[in-house]
Amino acid sequence: MPVLNEERHLRDAVRHILEQEYEGELEVVIALGPSTDRTDEIAAELVRETASNSWARVHTVPNPTGRTPAALNAAIKASRHPVVVRVDGHGMLSPDYIATAVRLLEETGAQNVGGIMHAEGENDWEHAVAAAMTSRIGVGNAAFHTGGQAGPAETVYLGVFRREALEQQGGYNEEFIRAQDWELNFRIREAGGLIWFSPELKVSYRPRPTVRALAKQYKNYGRWRHVVARYHQGSINLRYLAPPTALAAIVAGLVVGAAVTAWGFVVPAGYLAAIALGSVPAGKGLPAKARLRIPVALATMHLSWGWGFLTSPRSLAKKVIASRRPAVLPR
């Protein structure tokens, strides 16, 4: 579990692991980044509270860089079991998550299995973001957001790995500040391994608590998705091109509308109408205040992702490409 400033959710996330309906032995390894809140203190409490457990203990390892892939590699190195479950500090595993994942590893022969990133909010804004993140107008046809049938996949959310697959590939590429899951799963697939998606696996995810935090998150998603596209040509598809295309069209429409003809405003007006209409089914069953915030969440996600994609520097991709790790084939 890589953590950085996770005081709000860390204890709950660990509790969801310790309460798993799983008969085997567990260990929780938390990689501590340079947090500025009470994350380290809470982690230390969890270590003390589980020290006498014979079946599930919490350990910590330092991650001075604060980078997620470095944290994951440090935690994996410090762990000792043949199955490695990746968890985030704001992710809550469903009660049978680990038992189901271990069964699926055996049934499918996969090197990594994963399921649905089930966004759940705790207030009106977070409910709105969760609705946007689980709707097709928000994220397209991504199975790990919206669900789908079990089967082979390019990548999965978080993941439950066979240790041998992680060790064979040398772990995560630490140059990938984001999209490290996709890159690792790409190498596993190149080596002939199977990545398996199953809707049986579900992790409850806590969305970012503010518009600013959500915008930063999605800007980074877009920025690093462009790095991936440059790293692996042919991996891009229409779903990834939609946000930057929409942003470019909206800006062009505003410029034309202001400088040439009012008809230019049809494009941004059409976009606003589309997200307003799309938010109606997405917000079904939510309070009115949450439903009113869904268009804001959708626009923040789309436009921030598009901006990150369009402004992603080639120098970043070149640095990542220079660190390319070829897939290691099994002996």
Side-chain angles (χ1 to χ4, degrees):
M1 178 186 288
V3 298
L4 180 68
N5 294 326
E6 290 287 1
E7 67 173 359
R8 183 179 173 192
H9 299 302
L10 178 57
R11 180 170 286 278
D12 259 359
V14 172
R15 177 177 60 81
H16 278 77
I17 300 169
L18 299 179
E19 294 178 355
Q20 285 289 298
E21 297 170 1
Y22 180 67
E23 295 182 358
E25 184 178 330
L26 299 174
E27 61 179 344
V28 182
V29 185
I30 302 174
L32 296 170
S35 296
T36 55
D37 61 8
R38 294 184 60 252
T39 295
D40 287 13
E41 182 182 335
I42 293 168
E45 292 171 358
L46 291 166
V47 170
R48 290 194 298 271
E49 291 166 10
T50 61
S52 60
N53 289 355
S54 59
W55 57 275
R57 294 180 182 176
V58 176
H59 309 279
T60 61
V61 294
N63 174 36
T65 69
R67 292 184 171 188
T68 298
L72 290 166
N73 285 341
I76 291 166
K77 184 177 180 180
S79 67
R80 57 192 173 87
H81 290 289
V83 174
V84 177
V85 183
R86 178 182 170 178
V87 191
D88 278 347
H90 45 269
M92 314 296 161
L93 302 185
S94 54
D96 61 347
Y97 182 87
I98 294 177
T100 302
V102 171
R103 172 176 61 79
L104 289 171
L105 285 173
E106 294 302 313
E107 289 178 355
T108 65
Q111 303 300 306
N112 180 21
V113 299
I116 295 174
M117 177 184 179
H118 183 66
E120 292 183 337
E122 296 180 333
N123 55 45
D124 289 331
W125 166 249
E126 291 179 4
H127 286 314
V129 177
M133 291 180 70
T134 54
S135 68
R136 291 192 179 277
I137 191 173
V139 294
N141 61 348
F144 68 83
H145 280 296
T146 60
Q149 293 188 344
E154 284 191 352
T155 190
V156 290
Y157 178 55
L158 300 181
V160 179
F161 299 83
R162 297 178 188 269
R163 173 180 290 278
E164 60 194 27
L166 293 172
E167 292 180 344
Q168 178 183 311
Q169 298 305 326
Y172 290 85
N173 185 334
E174 296 185 12
E175 292 297 334
F176 273 84
I177 309 305
R178 297 287 186 277
Q180 64 275 157
D181 301 292
W182 186 95
E183 192 276 336
L184 174 59
N185 285 319
F186 172 70
R187 281 186 281 131
I188 291 173
R189 289 187 290 109
E190 268 198 328
L194 175 66
I195 311 299
W196 188 264
F197 166 81
S198 173
E200 291 184 76
L201 298 171
K202 187 172 78 171
V203 180
S204 294
Y205 168 87
R206 300 296 187 257
R208 296 295 193 270
T210 65
V211 174
R212 183 176 181 179
L214 183 68
K216 181 179 179 181
Q217 177 187 17
Y218 272 78
K219 177 188 173 184
N220 282 330
Y221 282 169
R223 177 185 177 98
W224 281 91
R225 194 62 188 78
H226 205 164
V227 172
V228 168
R230 287 167 170 158
Y231 175 88
H232 178 55
Q233 294 183 1
S235 67
I236 204 69
N237 60 40
L238 292 177
R239 179 166 68 89
Y240 297 126
L241 292 176
T245 301
L247 176 60
I250 289 168
V251 171
L254 291 172
V255 170
V256 170
V260 182
T261 172
W263 284 105
F265 293 123
V266 169
V267 176
Y271 173 75
L272 291 175
I275 61 173
L277 289 172
S279 69
V280 174
K284 187 176 180 180
L286 291 179
K289 289 183 178 179
R291 293 200 302 271
L292 290 172
R293 287 168 169 79
I294 294 176
V296 178
L298 288 169
T300 302
M301 291 163 56
H302 294 161
L303 302 183
S304 298
W305 204 103
W307 177 251
F309 189 93
L310 291 172
T311 60
S312 182
R314 286 187 176 274
S315 59
L316 182 58
K318 288 179 180 178
K319 181 180 179 182
V320 167
I321 291 169
S323 72
R324 185 191 298 272
R325 296 182 182 182
V328 179
L329 299 176
R331 296 178 180 177

